[in-house]
Amino acid sequence: MMLLGATRIQMIIFFLALGHALNPSVGRALEPVEVAVVANTEVGGSLELANYYMQRRRIPASHLIRLSVMPEERCTRQEYDKRIREPVRQVLAKLDPERRIRCLVVMYGVPLAVQPIAAKQKKNPQVKNPQAQDGSGETGAAVDSELALVLADEYPLAGWLPNPYFLGFGGKATRFSRDEVLIVGRLDGPDPATVRRIIDDVLFAEQSGLHGRAYFDARWPEPKSPAANLSAYALYDASLHAAATGVKTSGRMEEVRIDDREELFQPGDCPKAALYCGWYSLARYVDAFEWVRGAIGYHIASAECMTLKKKDSQVWCKRMLEKGVAATIGPVNEPYVQAFPLPGLFFTRLAEGYLSLGEVYLITLPYLSWQMVLVGDPLYKPFAPQ
């Protein structure tokens, strides 16, 4: 995994944002009436799962958005614009303006990623002059990350765009207003049975509470140097330590373990796993966990959500879903390390209990029109507010 275009000042801003996460703040939690669900009529099980989810969550039936798009995990930019973006915009424009949709739930069967634009297509004015962005001019992105901007008009497609909700930017002006940005989560996996299990596990965990142990897999001891002296990789490693401290302080888990050895957790090391974050095993899932119902976790490594369907793939998102997690995060392509939600922000905010999973993801995600995907129910609230 590479680091690109992140200055030391940016990294310090990311780290200082942890200070905000240590202080609980009340937010208006996402409600089912503010959610629209996107399904693909061309894929068996997609509409059925959408209806099942909407019934269990009591989402209005009129909030179902039906797409007709090829049943592949990757689509072209043209297909995205014509068969995904425009139909979603049209339906959202017709829904009751008194109850603004804040969130999209993308169902099993909707493509996972938008392919990069071919060189001959780059006459598109959206691709010209992409402003001062990072990402080496990459025009491919996660479908869900583009859908977060479905209310926005034209914007540059090359590289990433700063998320106006991200805590680490401290209210700094960005290209978009917050009203133009949606929460997007995906209920997806290797097969329909996995998706149904995710829906059921989330509701079970909400009723009974998420109980178990938290595991954070750092590679180095907690640094004694100030944030200004940390490289980006050291910063994210330090953030794993911060996540462990935050979750332990919250008292949510029966045990919190932080491992600072270079080796990863090994099979049998992580019983009753409810929360997890670690790095770095590229596309090689390590079966170290006994996941409890409703478990949430992600692995910081490149392209760990490049597929949720390929049978023999060992990418972490797919394998974690197969093994029992209810929610995970990963990129569909090389994201560069600073595009991941910072663990210290994500898990501390989650443990506060005020915000849903989707809201926590939104405020801890640095960039949009980029590579990251949240697989899980964005309405999920595993903890009651403290």
Side-chain angles (χ1 to χ4, degrees):
M1 180 167 50
M2 297 176 63
L3 170 68
L4 179 71
T7 67
R8 183 173 298 277
I9 292 175
Q10 286 175 306
M11 290 291 97
I12 293 170
I13 290 172
F14 286 8
F15 195 72
L16 290 177
L18 289 173
H20 297 285
L22 300 177
N23 299 306
S25 61
V26 178
R28 183 172 64 83
L30 183 67
E31 298 177 13
V33 74
E34 298 171 310
V35 175
V37 178
V38 183
N40 186 4
T41 60
E42 302 300 318
V43 174
S46 187
L47 280 175
E48 292 83 355
L49 287 167
N51 287 323
Y52 180 72
Y53 172 68
M54 295 175 76
Q55 290 168 7
R56 297 299 305 273
R57 281 300 193 184
R58 299 184 179 179
I59 296 169
S62 61
H63 290 195
L64 176 61
I65 302 174
R66 295 174 173 85
L67 304 180
S68 177
V69 59
M70 293 292 291
E72 304 291 341
E73 287 196 282
R74 295 178 180 262
C75 65
T76 65
R77 178 62 64 172
Q78 184 179 21
E79 289 169 329
Y80 169 77
D81 287 341
K82 181 179 179 180
R83 297 185 176 275
I84 300 177
R85 182 176 184 269
E86 283 309 312
V88 170
R89 282 170 63 92
Q90 289 171 14
V91 173
L92 292 181
K94 295 176 183 177
L95 292 177
D96 184 359
E98 298 299 318
R99 268 294 191 181
R100 187 176 77 86
I101 295 298
R102 296 175 57 205
C103 174
L104 297 177
V105 177
V106 179
M107 299 303 301
Y108 174 89
V110 176
L112 187 61
V114 183
Q115 296 172 345
I117 297 173
K120 65 182 181 180
Q121 295 178 292
K122 288 191 176 181
K123 294 181 180 180
N124 186 326
Q126 292 174 262
V127 183
K128 285 183 180 179
N129 303 319
Q131 299 187 350
Q133 297 178 73
D134 291 316
S136 297
E138 173 63 53
T139 56
V143 164
D144 300 8
S145 191
E146 295 289 18
L147 281 174
L149 297 174
V150 74
L151 298 179
D153 293 325
E154 289 190 356
Y155 53 86
L157 300 179
W160 58 53
L161 293 166
N163 174 10
Y165 279 98
F166 177 53
L167 290 176
F169 294 149
K172 180 181 177 181
T174 61
R175 183 183 183 92
F176 304 102
S177 71
R178 290 185 172 186
D179 287 345
E180 293 178 290
V181 177
L182 298 178
I183 300 166
V184 182
R186 172 176 289 259
L187 289 171
D188 204 346
D191 51 54
T194 298
V195 179
R196 186 174 287 252
R197 189 268 302 162
I198 292 169
I199 296 168
D200 292 341
D201 282 0
V202 162
L203 295 173
F204 171 85
E206 285 186 339
Q207 291 177 354
S208 62
L210 179 60
H211 302 290
R213 301 174 183 174
Y215 296 94
F216 297 98
D217 201 352
R219 303 189 73 172
W220 309 303
E222 187 170 11
K224 297 180 181 179
S225 301
N229 296 329
L230 296 177
S231 70
Y233 295 115
L235 180 74
Y236 271 74
D237 202 75
S239 189
L240 288 167
H241 288 273
T245 299
V247 173
K248 186 173 183 179
T249 300
S250 76
R252 298 294 195 179
M253 297 282 98
E254 63 184 55
E255 180 182 341
V256 178
R257 179 179 171 188
I258 176 74
D259 190 315
D260 60 10
R261 300 170 300 168
E262 189 168 341
E263 296 79 14
L264 276 71
F265 290 127
Q266 294 301 304
D269 281 353
C270 303
K272 300 176 68 175
L275 300 177
Y276 162 75
C277 192
W279 69 320
Y280 177 78
S281 176
L282 178 60
R284 293 193 303 274
Y285 175 74
V286 180
D287 194 9
F289 310 91
E290 176 193 81
W291 301 108
V292 302
R293 293 187 73 179
I296 301 169
Y298 64 96
H299 189 77
I300 300 172
S302 302
E304 297 303 331
C305 198
M306 66 182 299
T307 179
L308 294 174
K309 303 291 190 297
K310 290 183 180 178
K311 184 177 179 181
D312 297 326
S313 175
Q314 294 296 309
V315 294
W316 280 74
C317 287
K318 172 180 174 287
R319 296 293 289 129
M320 289 173 73
L321 293 167
E322 288 175 333
K323 289 292 183 175
V325 299
T328 189
I329 297 168
V332 299
N333 201 352
E334 171 61 69
Y336 309 105
V337 66
Q338 67 269 31
F340 278 88
L342 211 61
L345 276 174
F346 181 87
F347 288 97
T348 307
R349 279 295 191 185
L350 188 69
E352 288 174 4
Y354 293 100
L355 303 179
S356 68
L357 174 67
E359 290 167 306
V360 171
Y361 176 68
L362 181 66
I363 65 175
T364 62
L365 180 71
Y367 301 115
L368 302 171
S369 187
W370 196 232
Q371 313 299 338
M372 215 61 67
V373 175
L374 168 65
V375 184
D377 181 357
L379 286 165
Y380 184 22
K381 293 188 71 177
F383 307 112
Q386 292 180 319

